[in-house]
Amino acid sequence: MTEEAAFPPRRTRETLIEWVSDFQTQTDVGDAEIIVAQQEGEATRDTGLVVVRPRSNSAMAVYMQPRGFDEPLWEVTLPAREDEVPMSALQLSSLGTFVSLAATLCTYLQWRSLEWDRASGRHDA
């Protein structure tokens, strides 16, 4: 008789808040605000919606989340905009810094997820 595998490990909101806090301790996030969104749904659903936006008066925001159920890989979404956004060279440079920070955070969350899943014994090292 084979033993049924345990339910996939969950990245709780509290775990993600801890990871984001660790990231902010190690990284200069500039004027970015990083939020672990409160998610609705069943306790068995995968959690992981993280929103990054500038604290400045910008409407720009990106969000990131695991690619799927029990998936350690993360992806970033840049929401579509209806209007063009003219900007100065300085504003464009700031946008580039912001996007680079979001990519770094996404990579960090993916690394922490892989580490978390491996520690659970459900995935190979």
Side-chain angles (χ1 to χ4, degrees):
M1 175 181 219
T2 60
E3 189 174 311
E4 190 172 323
F7 198 74
R10 298 271 110 341
R11 292 174 287 278
T12 65
R13 184 168 187 258
E14 291 75 25
T15 297
L16 293 175
I17 289 171
E18 179 183 327
W19 293 357
V20 166
S21 178
D22 291 347
F23 177 81
Q24 290 174 312
T25 300
Q26 300 170 27
T27 308
D28 177 11
V29 298
D31 79 335
E33 178 180 25
I34 305 171
I35 300 162
V36 179
Q38 180 70 45
Q39 297 215 260
E40 298 179 10
E42 303 171 23
T44 58
R45 290 191 58 197
D46 206 13
T47 60
L49 185 63
V50 177
V51 180
V52 183
R53 62 179 172 226
R55 291 184 198 272
S56 59
N57 208 8
S58 174
M60 176 65 173
V62 299
Y63 60 92
M64 56 197 71
Q65 61 191 1
R67 286 188 171 174
F69 181 76
D70 192 30
E71 178 67 58
L73 302 179
W74 285 62
E75 62 188 6
V76 176
T77 301
L78 300 159
R81 296 185 58 108
E82 290 183 22
D83 301 323
E84 292 181 358
V85 182
M87 58 183 72
S88 68
L90 181 60
Q91 289 170 316
L92 181 60
S93 178
S94 294
L95 177 61
T97 301
F98 172 76
V99 171
S100 179
L101 173 70
T104 302
L105 174 59
C106 188
T107 301
Y108 179 81
L109 293 172
Q110 181 169 296
W111 175 78
R112 291 294 300 258
S113 292
L114 287 166
E115 182 181 61
W116 174 262
D117 287 358
R118 288 179 183 139
S120 74
R122 295 257 310 140
H123 299 275
D124 293 330

